[in-house]
Amino acid sequence: MNPEFWRTRWQEKRIGFNQSEVNPSLIKYFSDLELPTGSRVLVPLCGKSIDMVWLAAQGYGVVGIELVESAIREFFVEQAIAYTITEHSKNANIKCYQGQLLEQTIELWVADIFTLDSNNIGHIDAGYDRAALIAMPTELRPQYSQQVIDLSQNAPQLLLTLYYDQNEWAGPPFSISHEQIQQYYSARYNIHKLEGEPSVLNAAPEMTVTEHVWLLNKP
Ligand SMILES: C[S@@+](CC[C@H](N)C(=O)[O-])C[C@H]1O[C@@H](n2cnc3c(N)ncnc32)[C@H](O)[C@@H]1O
């Protein structure tokens, strides 16, 4: 998916991926990461996810990365959080929106994730990937997974993916198999499948879909 695809989706408000309720798997499994409060959580391809509000309410700092600036602005406006904007000194396409919620900092980067490095975003304690890996087409996924590993310096992750017959529906979101998860992450993580539950694709409700929840821990 090129950047224009996502900009158009946001412009035309075709954002069926955006949830009005906090993701139940986040609530159920995030504690498995055993993070002390005050830890900083990376949310790649964050959109305006309400999950970031939940993370802050649990006592975690949030570091989101999102290509489309209007999505980030909508997040702060809808959540009634005051924000400041800092522009990157060398790259006009990169900005950082920052606000405070319940004494936690929510820092959302307007950027193509591939243009950032760990010096930009600072230390990360864990990652939460919902609708991010599965938003990446097959050819970009190895580069994406490596970028998340590099940005977070191999921090543990809670990863949510979908599995369905890719021949039946083109995506995004794309279907990801256990073998693909191994391919992307087994060199740097111990991989545990926590759950596989029936799920629904909003754009193709007739499809049989399973949501998988993965815990990626450092070996
Ligand atoms: C399927 S949405 C998921 C959003 C969010 N994780 C959620 O659960 O609602 C994927 C998001 O990734 C953003 N995106 C796509 N490619 C990106 C890239 N290369 N860098 C940063 N963000 C990107 C899109 O604009 C879109 O908001």
Side-chain angles (χ1 to χ4, degrees):
M1 275 48 254
N2 60 29
E4 239 11 78
F5 170 88
W6 292 107
R7 287 189 213 291
T8 307
R9 291 280 296 257
W10 279 99
Q11 209 168 6
E12 296 177 353
K13 302 198 187 309
R14 290 190 291 117
I15 52 167
F17 52 79
N18 186 60
Q19 299 180 312
S20 54
E21 306 283 336
V22 177
N23 191 288
S25 298
L26 173 65
I27 297 173
K28 191 166 172 189
Y29 292 113
F30 197 74
S31 59
D32 286 22
L33 288 166
E34 297 180 349
L35 290 182
T37 53
S39 297
R40 294 178 87 229
V41 179
L42 176 65
V43 185
L45 281 56
C46 60
K48 58 173 180 177
S49 174
I50 196 171
D51 293 348
M52 297 190 284
V53 172
W54 185 87
L55 286 167
Q58 305 309 301
Y60 302 119
V62 175
V63 181
I65 302 172
E66 168 57 50
L67 189 65
V68 181
E69 185 166 6
S70 62
I72 291 183
R73 233 179 291 117
E74 282 176 32
F75 172 83
F76 283 107
V77 171
E78 288 172 11
Q79 303 304 331
I81 301 171
Y83 59 87
T84 56
I85 306 173
T86 311
E87 296 192 359
H88 192 281
S89 54
K90 296 192 183 110
N91 185 339
N93 294 319
I94 299 178
K95 290 179 194 167
C96 181
Y97 280 57
Q98 195 168 308
Q100 299 287 322
L101 182 66
L102 303 169
E103 296 176 17
Q104 298 301 322
T105 301
I106 299 184
E107 185 181 308
L108 304 187
W109 288 80
V110 181
D112 181 330
I113 192 167
F114 298 112
T115 65
L116 291 175
D117 64 38
S118 61
N119 293 324
N120 296 124
I121 64 170
H123 178 78
I124 295 294
D125 297 293
Y128 169 59
D129 181 322
R130 186 252 162 199
L133 178 67
I134 63 172
M136 286 279 157
T138 318
E139 63 277 13
L140 270 183
R141 251 176 259 144
Q143 195 190 338
Y144 165 82
S145 50
Q146 188 58 50
Q147 179 66 349
V148 172
I149 291 167
D150 291 347
L151 283 172
S152 68
Q153 298 182 315
N154 209 29
Q157 298 184 41
L158 185 71
L159 166 65
L160 276 47
T161 59
L162 296 177
Y163 183 71
Y164 61 89
D165 183 352
Q166 193 74 86
N167 296 318
E168 296 285 318
W169 199 68
F174 299 103
S175 174
I176 302 209
S177 65
H178 195 160
E179 292 69 32
Q180 286 169 307
I181 296 289
Q182 293 287 343
Q183 181 200 329
Y184 305 140
Y185 290 114
S186 64
R188 302 300 292 272
Y189 293 107
N190 289 334
I191 298 170
H192 306 277
K193 186 156 97 179
L194 299 176
E195 189 169 288
E197 282 286 316
S199 183
V200 179
L201 275 182
N202 288 340
E206 70 286 357
M207 295 283 303
T208 303
V209 183
T210 308
E211 182 186 73
H212 290 145
V213 183
W214 310 90
L215 187 64
L216 310 182
N217 272 323
K218 288 186 203 181

